[in-house]
Amino acid sequence: MVQLKSKREIELMRESSRIVAEVLRLVGAEVKPGVTTLELDRLAEEYIRSFEAVPAFKGYGSSKHNLFPGTLCTSVDSEVVHGIPGRRMLKEGEILSVDVGVKKDGYYGDGAWSFPVGEISEEKERLLRVTEEALYRGIEKAIEGNRVHDISHAVQEYVEINGFSIVRDLVGHGVGKELHEEPSVPNFGDPGTGVRLKTGMTLAIEPMVNYGTWKVRVLADGWTIVTQDGMPSAHFEHTIAIVNGKPEILTQVPN
Ligand code: MG
């Protein structure tokens, strides 16, 4: 069941999502060669807790023996998503995707952004630009009366005409009282199909775009998803609400 949110619930999600956006801005400013992903993670956790909010990913997981240990997912280059923060030092020319979830007053916000580490290649720059633009192409379709796969198709089409590929194994999702709610929001699909979109829906739209093949695999840590061909990948995500029939981005990083 898709849970439609009241105005009051969306107001609460604005708050958790605002913290998500602030974390991404704060962490993004610290992304540079020599910084470890664990340092970024600590910065994020401290910031989130200063609002009496909770890092949503920390302790998340279906296996009790392998719960996610970080506040952030930090995924470098060929790591697509769910990278575990650690002692890895960022190097010039890499790209880092940072994904963060925040729970405050019972409601979640979820967002991700990919950052260049120092100077990056033109091709990586293009991968970042195309993935970010694909996210906005998808959000534009989150209009009352459209269907979920109108979002999916807009993302897929933009990515593929630009020569990159869309990850199939992982998808966007409803978000609100739970971090992951119905419906699934794939980044590929046929227009005019899927659940009909309505005012009050709250969605995490999150294209994961690979430079080479769309195929991915999971590392032995049970979390980190990497590209099968070792080529780089980028990830951008916003939590949106459909308000008065139109998409409102709740995790917009303020300038
Ligand atoms: Mg998400």
Side-chain angles (χ1 to χ4, degrees), residues 81-97:
V81 285
H82 305 166
I84 299 173
R87 293 171 202 281
R88 177 175 189 161
M89 238 182 231
L90 296 175
K91 292 204 282 285
E92 180 94 20
E94 290 176 332
I95 53 178
L96 171 71
S97 130

Side-chain angles (χ1 to χ4, degrees), residues 155-168:
V155 170
Q156 179 181 18
E157 189 176 48
Y158 186 72
V159 167
E160 291 180 350
I161 58 168
N162 279 284
F164 298 133
S165 68
I166 267 295
V167 173
R168 311 291 172 115

Side-chain angles (χ1 to χ4, degrees), residues 99 110 173 180 204 206 237:
D99 193 348
D110 190 3
H173 49 92
H180 297 110
E206 50 176 321
E237 175 180 25

Side-chain angles (χ1 to χ4, degrees), residues 167-201:
V167 173
R168 311 291 172 115
D169 307 50
L170 298 133
V171 297
H173 49 92
V175 56
K177 277 189 190 168
E178 304 292 335
L179 181 59
H180 297 110
E181 296 183 351
E182 286 185 56
S184 287
V185 185
N187 295 301
F188 58 95
D190 296 322
T193 67
V195 173
R196 196 176 287 281
L197 299 172
K198 290 185 182 144
T199 288
M201 281 187 182

Side-chain angles (χ1 to χ4, degrees), residues 162-246:
N162 279 284
F164 298 133
S165 68
I166 267 295
V167 173
R168 311 291 172 115
D169 307 50
L170 298 133
V171 297
H173 49 92
V175 56
K177 277 189 190 168
E178 304 292 335
L179 181 59
H180 297 110
E181 296 183 351
E182 286 185 56
S184 287
V185 185
N187 295 301
F188 58 95
D190 296 322
T193 67
V195 173
R196 196 176 287 281
L197 299 172
K198 290 185 182 144
T199 288
M201 281 187 182
T202 46
L203 305 172
I205 302 175
E206 50 176 321
M208 288 150 262
V209 175
N210 293 355
Y211 189 89
T213 179
W214 59 267
K215 290 185 179 161
V216 297
R217 64 189 176 88
V218 190
L219 293 187
D221 64 21
W223 281 106
T224 314
I225 308 285
V226 297
T227 57
Q228 268 191 16
D229 59 8
M231 301 285 264
S233 182
H235 178 213
F236 288 77
E237 175 180 25
H238 275 311
T239 291
I240 66 127
I242 304 180
V243 178
N244 299 325
K246 295 198 193 93

Side-chain angles (χ1 to χ4, degrees), residues 2-147:
V2 175
Q3 303 285 330
L4 296 180
K5 309 301 187 299
S6 67
K7 281 186 178 163
R8 185 190 143 271
E9 290 179 296
I10 291 174
E11 196 50 47
L12 290 169
M13 289 183 67
R14 278 195 189 97
E15 183 57 18
S16 55
S17 299
R18 187 187 61 80
I19 299 170
V20 165
E22 294 286 358
V23 168
L24 292 172
R25 182 164 74 165
L26 185 75
V27 168
E30 297 302 318
V31 172
K32 54 192 83 154
V35 170
T36 70
T37 51
L38 195 58
E39 287 168 337
L40 299 176
D41 193 72
R42 288 186 176 143
L43 181 69
E45 179 170 2
E46 198 175 302
Y47 188 76
I48 291 167
R49 294 200 190 277
S50 76
F51 293 96
E52 284 168 28
V54 177
F57 300 165
K58 199 165 188 139
Y60 185 88
S62 50
S63 160
K64 275 187 186 166
H65 306 291
N66 192 23
L67 298 175
F68 193 79
T71 288
L72 304 176
C73 295
T74 52
S75 309
V76 181
D77 272 358
S78 64
E79 297 174 353
V80 179
V81 285
H82 305 166
I84 299 173
R87 293 171 202 281
R88 177 175 189 161
M89 238 182 231
L90 296 175
K91 292 204 282 285
E92 180 94 20
E94 290 176 332
I95 53 178
L96 171 71
S97 130
V98 177
D99 193 348
V100 63
V102 169
K103 184 184 192 185
K104 182 163 165 64
D105 299 329
Y107 287 84
Y108 288 90
D110 190 3
W113 210 257
S114 295
F115 302 98
V117 182
E119 286 286 312
I120 59 172
S121 69
E122 253 176 57
E123 284 301 272
K124 281 184 177 173
E125 191 68 58
R126 198 169 71 85
L127 178 65
L128 295 186
R129 279 203 314 269
V130 167
T131 310
E132 182 184 355
E133 177 62 21
L135 169 61
Y136 289 106
R137 299 279 175 126
I139 290 171
E140 276 175 17
K141 299 289 178 184
I143 292 169
E144 183 157 67
N146 275 359
R147 291 179 182 269

